[in-house]
Amino acid sequence: MYPDFPACRIVPRDQHAISRANISENALKVLYRLKQEGYQALLVGGGVRDLLLGREPKDFDVATDARPEEVRRIFRNCRLIGRRFRLAHVHFGPEIIEVATFRGGGAGLEDDEEPGDRHLENGMIVRDNLYGTREEDALRRDFTVNALYYNIADFSVIDYAGGLEDLQAGRLRLIGADPELRYREDPVRMLRAVRFAAKLGFNIDPACERPLREQGRLLGGVPPARLFEEVLKLLHSGTGLAAFEKLRHYGLFGQLFPATEECLAHEDHDFPITFVSRGLGNTDQRIQEDKPVAPAFLFALLLWEPVRRRYFTLIDRGLDPFEAMIRAGEDVLAAQLARVSIPKRFSLPMREIWELQPRFEQLDGKRPQRLAAHPRFRAAYDFLLLRAESGEADPALADWWTRFQEASAPEREAMSGTSRKRRRRRRPAAGDGAGGGEAGASAAAGGGGVGDGG
Ligand code: ATP
Ligand code: MG
């Protein structure tokens, strides 16, 4: 059935670099416990791959011949999740060890071969709960380097698909003879190819690279909620900028963010691409420094250019800036949700970041003080800085806000002209909406906050 797979290779414990000292204690607990109960128990996936590469694994995935219900019986701290792909989560405080039962079905079945609880629709796997042997489990995985097992029974590494060789060569290769078929089974594998290429610095094997451009549109058949998870993994993993560039290179970004891609592809200015790239670069840096990152900010960043354009269209139709920004945000979000869902708990703060942007242009009276007290101020200010750095907003305006935050209370009053005398004197100048503050004139002259990039 798989004539192109090299024979299974078993590397004994003294001939590979995986040490139990580098495996999470909780993962070891799960492995030992399953073994003690008479089941097979192996580490698989990213954990094994990353340990062999000398990297710190993000999480540890366990594969076993125990059924999900049996796993739940063994571990009290266990929950079964997933319909499409049922698996057990064993909870240890904040750490979750994912335990998956060996799957069968292999790679590359046709629609009419629907054995047991594996179900395909138009070649896409919509349910994958047909259990199988360890060998079958290896062959239904995505990339060869993700199909390496570390066996707790004898501490050996098992390679069914040539993953060790590919790991050494820095190559991402789909298991099976027909990459197109594997992408059709699950189009998310295209995004995974990009993610691992960015994260590991690996090359995508030419045969697996070629279909990416043509098959990208299959992502349209993937549930938007699943794509949300994948977008976070792609762009919030420390190598988001590289992932973004690769996604665009393969034409996949446009499948996820069509409105943004439309703006980037037909840009008449450099700043939209500079803005997104800088933002993603900053995010990568924050992750490398172990600082928190927010999905709301990420999506605000990715969708800003379509929002900004829509904003100006609505301004031209006579809406006031605040109303225009609210409507622009709603319109862009509504279209985006058809592709990649964004849960409300992220889309609400995302829209606030946008809606606060026009308020940065109001520098007079009590308004700066009120804006600075807004719970979303910090994120919105960071957003403004990024806009200024990429040449879209006026740097003088961003600078005014930087100084405003550092200023003492009396200095702030002076800056925004809140003392009675100043106010009376300055009020007429505030007529254009850009405000009578000391930076007001230059901010207004520079096109204000939501600038036209000129
Ligand atoms: P990460 O470091 O991001 O956790 P990972 O390779 O462990 O990378 P997971 O999403 O945790 O990725 O999946 C664990 C393993 O399950 C993968 O290594 C792969 O063997 C298998 N797998 C995951 N998603 C798919 C898929 N869509 N198709 C086939 N196999 C998959
Ligand atoms: Mg993993």
Side-chain angles (χ1 to χ4, degrees):
M1 193 172 173
Y2 306 107
D4 54 331
F5 291 128
C8 162
R9 190 174 149 203
I10 297 179
V11 185
R13 74 187 291 189
D14 57 348
Q15 287 171 38
H16 64 71
I18 295 185
S19 146
R20 268 165 291 164
N22 298 324
I23 301 173
S24 110
E25 261 177 51
N26 294 324
L28 287 171
K29 266 188 215 160
V30 171
L31 290 166
Y32 282 128
R33 189 69 206 281
L34 284 166
K35 176 174 172 261
Q36 197 188 337
E37 295 287 330
Y39 295 107
Q40 296 186 49
L42 306 95
L43 221 51
V44 67
V48 181
R49 179 194 69 219
D50 292 349
L51 286 175
L52 287 169
L53 288 170
R55 304 169 67 104
E56 195 187 332
K58 190 182 95 228
D59 51 36
F60 289 92
D61 304 298
V62 170
T64 180
D65 56 352
R67 297 297 171 94
E69 306 74 43
E70 294 172 317
V71 176
R72 185 169 52 189
R73 226 170 292 137
I74 297 171
F75 300 98
R76 268 186 316 145
N77 46 339
C78 176
R79 280 178 48 191
L80 301 188
I81 64 148
R83 251 169 58 87
R84 190 185 59 86
F85 194 97
R86 195 165 172 74
L87 49 80
H89 271 178
V90 187
H91 290 254
F92 297 91
E95 189 179 13
I96 294 174
I97 306 297
E98 233 172 65
V99 183
T101 306
F102 298 146
R103 293 306 198 268
L109 289 176
E110 297 304 327
D111 284 16
D112 52 1
E113 311 174 60
E114 291 176 359
D117 211 4
R118 183 176 151 114
H119 186 70
L120 290 94
E121 277 171 17
N122 302 320
M124 191 162 110
I125 302 173
V126 292
R127 196 168 60 240
D128 191 0
N129 292 317
L130 171 73
Y131 302 120
T133 65
R134 199 164 78 197
E135 292 75 5
E136 288 172 328
D137 185 71
L139 300 181
R140 64 90 192 164
R141 290 179 181 272
D142 50 4
F143 299 96
T144 63
V145 295
N146 285 347
L148 294 162
Y149 294 77
Y150 172 78
N151 192 351
I152 203 66
D154 59 4
F155 312 115
S156 64
V157 167
I158 313 175
D159 177 8
Y160 293 100
L164 285 170
E165 203 186 307
D166 287 337
L167 205 63
Q168 203 126 57
R171 182 169 55 215
L172 281 170
R173 197 162 55 86
L174 282 162
I175 295 171
D178 188 347
E180 288 181 28
L181 193 71
R182 302 304 318 274
Y183 289 138
R184 215 178 317 132
E185 282 179 345
D186 184 1
V188 166
R189 288 172 185 154
M190 292 185 271
L191 301 179
R192 290 174 60 87
V194 167
R195 174 154 74 92
F196 296 127
K199 170 172 147 167
L200 306 172
F202 277 24
N203 292 314
I204 304 174
D205 181 64
C208 304
E209 193 179 25
R210 229 170 286 128
L212 290 177
R213 285 187 170 283
E214 275 171 25
Q215 289 188 290
R217 61 193 162 70
L218 293 178
L219 286 171
V222 177
R226 189 166 174 225
L227 291 181
F228 170 76
E229 298 294 331
E230 288 302 322
V231 165
L232 279 192
K233 286 185 195 167
L234 276 157
L235 302 179
H236 263 181
S237 60
T239 49
L241 178 54
F244 167 69
E245 285 169 352
K246 284 183 197 296
L247 284 174
R248 287 203 74 215
H249 176 75
Y250 295 118
L252 296 173
F253 184 75
Q255 298 295 332
L256 300 171
F257 296 93
T260 308
E261 179 57 31
E262 179 71 21
C263 296
L264 298 183
H266 303 114
E267 64 192 39
D268 8 288
H269 299 283
D270 278 345
F271 63 79
I273 186 83
T274 308
F275 176 73
V276 174
S277 302
R278 253 181 187 274
L280 291 173
N282 290 353
T283 303
D284 288 345
Q285 202 176 339
R286 288 184 66 87
I287 291 169
Q288 275 144 30
E289 292 166 1
D290 266 333
K291 291 186 187 160
V293 290
F297 195 88
L298 175 73
F299 282 88
L301 185 79
L302 290 167
L303 295 171
W304 173 240
E305 189 55 20
V307 168
R308 205 181 64 86
R309 293 197 185 186
R310 181 83 188 133
Y311 168 83
F312 280 113
T313 305
L314 296 171
I315 290 279
D316 287 346
R317 288 192 197 155
L319 266 67
D320 76 67
F322 307 106
E323 187 60 29
M325 191 57 87
I326 291 171
R327 285 270 302 279
E330 281 170 358
D331 294 349
V332 170
L333 178 62
Q336 178 61 33
L337 292 180
R339 294 296 177 110
V340 178
S341 74
I342 308 173
K344 275 249 161 56
R345 67 182 185 283
F346 302 125
S347 66
L348 290 177
M350 169 187 81
R351 287 172 51 185
E352 279 182 319
I353 290 173
W354 295 333
E355 288 163 16
L356 293 188
Q357 296 308 306
R359 288 178 59 182
F360 281 112
E361 291 173 56
Q362 301 198 308
L363 304 177
D364 60 322
K366 292 264 183 229
R367 289 188 280 200
Q369 205 53 276
R370 272 207 298 273
L371 180 54
H374 192 285
R376 210 64 64 196
F377 171 78
R378 188 66 211 190
Y381 163 75
D382 286 345
F383 201 78
L384 173 68
L385 281 189
L386 201 58
R387 291 175 52 215
E389 285 168 9
S390 42
E392 181 242 309
D394 180 10
L397 185 69
D399 188 51
W400 189 94
W401 280 98
T402 305
R403 282 184 290 115
F404 185 79
Q405 288 175 82
E406 290 160 358
S408 64
E411 285 169 342
R412 283 183 173 201
E413 283 198 5
M415 283 177 81
S416 50
T418 34
S419 76
R420 227 181 250 147
K421 225 167 78 199
R422 290 177 73 98
R423 190 183 230 165
R424 211 175 295 129
R425 192 153 47 84
R426 298 213 171 212
R427 218 172 218 171
D432 61 1
E438 57 180 287
S442 77
V450 188
D452 55 9

